[in-house]
Amino acid sequence: MTQLTKGANVAVPSDAVNIVVTWTAAPQAPTVDLSTLLVTATGKVRDDSDFVFYNAPQHASGAVRLGPSSPGSASVEAHLTGVEDVVERIVVVLSADGGPFSQVPGLTVRVDDATSGQVVAQFGDMGATSETALVAGELYRRAGAWKFRAVGQGWDSGLAGLATDFGISVDDAPVQPSSSTAPAATPASAPAPAPAALRPAEPSQGEQPGSDTSRPYAAPVSPTPAPLQPPQQPSAPQQAPLQPPHQPQAPLRAPLPQQAPLQPPHQPQAPQYEPLQPPHHQQAPQQVPSPQMAPPPQMAPPQMPLAAPATQAAPSVVNLDKGHVSLRKGDRVSLTKTGAPPMSRVFMGLGWDPAKRGRNIDLDASVIAFDANGRELEIVWFMHKKEFGGAIVHLGDNLTGKGDGDDEVITLDLTAIPPTVVHLAFTINSYSGQKFMDVRNAYARLVDAQSGAELVRFSLSESDRATGVVIAALSRTPQGTWDMRAIGQFANGRTVKKLVKPAVQMLGL
């Protein structure tokens, strides 16, 4: 076995290897995930399908797939003879959720010969500090053979930042227009030399990269928005002539006085309109001797309940006094029970089934945290599975939608969520672009984490050709309790970040 240091490399003796990452699992330590990127000579992936991670655990070529994992261990299997010729590097990526890698003890990368089971090389002591994403190492081609290099290059911007630098789209609309400024705002500028460090330079043991001058992480700058401003100036004078014609329209209001003389002719016909115009006082003198004076005062009381109680009765919200509640689209329930303490630890279980037997449905559940004004605070999703000190945690993913029970679970400690968080929108989307026409029996259910009792369920009976849905929401009340609302509205978005703006509109923020 060869002990590698940062930047050193070793020849891979077999066409089938396993890259195994181990660390010391601890209750307060960050969660570690392993993923891989299949990179071409450009230093970037061809498209998002070259990103192999827990939500897409096998490459389309079948040559790279995630292996077994357990607390404190994760692995990737590579069959090098099946790797496409255009792929020059298989980059092994680690991401930490819940803290930087400095809080992950005993982090080690090991290369195993999958055929013989022999340990080929091992790499530890990556020197990580504030990074939340790391390129631990890479398999790369050299003179017709494959080698492994120990890298240990980190990103403070997390897995999303690292993946973006390698050409992966995270479907974040606000980020794309500002790509020219993103490197300055994030620590991506610090690891900018990483492309040179990741490129093979010499086939010898201990080679130090640096001969490559390519910079695959540089974001293209497009200063084209400026020419769009001149066309708006000539359009301004075209709006000016539209205003004068509106002034002559003022005489059109003159006919309004003509409506006054229309009332005298109706006076002789007043007996015919008595049931339609009870409020008119002019008809009162004609009915002085008659007993019909009583109905006018009776007409006023019915108007009182139409003005006040009508708006107060609409927002009535049921609570959990009667136990389990089934919601229909648009319904709301208060997560309170008379005489009981406020709800604290719950989890949102989300599930679905393929519409056709034998077909896999790859969907992702996420939650977006908003403040009272609809400003996005945080997103808990497959690239960021823990937030607010563990008050919200994404537990994992079901890649097929098959089987009974929840496909994905998000735990919540309602008492530990910061007071700035007022709304939590729960979404389901298809990273692979599958439509909800292929999905049936989608649901969201809220469960008491202590007793395991299901409190609320909303089953989505509709389908749509969209790739995402905002299925439900939790909202904090002025009293500090929480309500659950069934939304069930569709929108297009391969990741949750594309559903942020639709969610704001659906919540009415």
Side-chain angles (χ1 to χ4, degrees):
M1 182 185 69
T2 303
Q3 289 287 348
L4 298 178
T5 58
K6 185 180 293 189
N9 68 88
V10 64
V12 176
S14 174
D15 291 334
V17 295
N18 296 332
I19 310 298
V20 182
V21 180
T22 59
W23 64 93
T24 302
Q28 303 300 325
T31 302
V32 178
D33 284 323
L34 183 149
S35 55
T36 60
L37 297 160
L38 280 69
V39 179
T40 67
T42 64
K44 294 181 180 291
V45 298
R46 292 165 294 180
D47 54 43
D48 291 354
S49 65
D50 286 337
F51 184 25
V52 179
F53 61 112
Y54 82 92
N55 197 38
Q58 180 169 310
H59 190 258
S61 65
V64 179
R65 64 185 179 187
L66 297 186
S69 63
S70 62
S73 175
S75 63
V76 60
E77 302 171 357
H79 298 273
L80 302 178
T81 55
V83 178
E84 300 152 295
D85 293 339
V86 70
V87 175
E88 290 197 355
R89 291 186 287 147
I90 302 172
V91 181
V92 180
V93 175
L94 303 177
S95 59
D97 202 0
F101 272 103
S102 60
Q103 299 177 8
V104 179
L107 187 63
T108 302
V109 179
R110 192 179 74 238
V111 182
D112 292 348
D113 185 331
T115 303
S116 64
Q118 180 181 359
V119 178
V120 177
Q122 185 169 291
F123 170 44
D125 190 18
M126 300 184 192
T129 56
S130 62
E131 299 89 345
T132 54
L134 283 172
V135 172
E138 63 175 1
L139 293 164
Y140 66 96
R141 298 181 190 268
R142 172 64 68 183
W146 285 89
K147 305 185 76 172
F148 176 82
R149 183 191 344 265
V151 179
Q153 178 67 57
W155 273 253
D156 290 345
S157 51
L159 180 59
L162 184 153
T164 300
D165 285 343
F166 277 96
I168 295 293
S169 169
V170 295
D171 272 350
D172 190 356
V175 171
Q176 292 175 356
S178 60
S179 60
S180 60
T181 59
T186 65
S189 59
L198 297 177
R199 299 277 299 182
E202 299 177 1
S204 61
Q205 168 70 27
E207 61 179 337
Q208 295 296 328
S211 59
D212 185 10
T213 58
S214 63
R215 292 293 182 267
Y217 308 118
V221 180
S222 55
T224 55
L228 296 177
Q229 298 177 357
Q232 296 177 355
Q233 295 177 355
S235 61
Q238 295 177 1
Q239 297 177 356
L242 296 177
Q243 298 177 356
H246 293 291
Q247 297 177 357
Q249 292 179 359
L252 296 177
R253 300 179 180 177
L256 294 176
Q258 296 177 4
Q259 296 178 357
L262 294 178
Q263 297 178 356
H266 292 292
Q267 291 178 358
Q269 299 176 356
Q272 300 176 359
Y273 294 95
E274 287 178 1
L276 298 177
Q277 299 178 354
H280 290 298
H281 299 287
Q282 294 178 356
Q283 297 173 3
Q286 299 176 3
Q287 298 178 356
V288 171
S290 66
Q292 297 178 355
M293 290 296 294
Q298 293 178 357
M299 296 298 295
Q303 296 177 357
M304 295 299 294
L306 291 176
T311 56
Q312 293 178 357
S316 59
V317 179
V318 299
N319 60 16
L320 301 176
D321 282 352
K322 296 182 179 181
H324 179 271
V325 176
S326 294
L327 298 179
R328 293 177 299 178
K329 187 174 179 178
D331 287 349
R332 183 192 299 263
V333 59
S334 173
L335 303 182
T336 59
K337 192 171 184 178
T338 304
M343 194 68 61
S344 56
R345 293 185 177 274
V346 296
F347 69 81
M348 184 72 78
L350 301 109
W352 53 84
D353 292 319
K356 298 181 180 180
R357 292 183 178 180
R359 185 171 184 178
N360 292 340
I361 296 295
D362 179 12
L363 300 180
D364 306 305
S366 310
V367 57
I368 313 168
F370 296 102
D371 66 8
N373 298 320
R375 183 172 64 92
E376 172 196 337
L377 299 177
E378 294 291 348
I379 299 178
V380 177
W381 59 315
F382 68 80
M383 284 195 179
H384 183 64
K385 293 187 289 186
K386 184 187 298 183
E387 191 48 69
F388 305 123
I392 302 178
V393 179
H394 193 304
L395 293 186
D397 183 48
N398 183 322
L399 298 175
T400 65
K402 295 180 180 179
D404 297 331
D406 302 323
D407 292 301
E408 296 194 8
V409 172
I410 299 174
T411 66
L412 306 107
D413 185 349
L414 299 178
T415 59
I417 295 176
T420 53
V421 178
V422 180
H423 303 282
L424 297 171
F426 294 84
T427 67
I428 303 175
N429 58 271
S430 173
Y431 183 81
S432 58
Q434 292 170 308
K435 310 295 184 182
F436 273 84
M437 296 295 292
D438 300 327
V439 179
R440 65 181 178 88
N441 300 334
Y443 68 85
R445 70 184 192 116
L446 194 72
V447 179
D448 186 334
Q450 296 179 348
S451 66
E454 181 175 299
L455 304 174
V456 186
R457 175 180 285 259
F458 168 52
S459 297
L460 184 64
S461 59
E462 304 173 11
S463 61
D464 197 275
R465 294 190 179 277
T467 56
V469 61
V470 179
I471 191 166
L474 297 182
S475 297
R476 195 192 300 265
T477 68
Q479 294 75 28
T481 60
W482 291 85
D483 290 351
M484 177 175 171
R485 188 196 321 178
I487 298 179
Q489 296 188 36
F490 295 93
N492 280 314
R494 291 174 56 251
T495 71
V496 62
K497 292 194 173 186
K498 280 291 187 182
L499 300 180
V500 172
K501 289 185 178 179
V504 171
Q505 298 175 354
M506 295 172 191
L507 290 171
L509 302 179

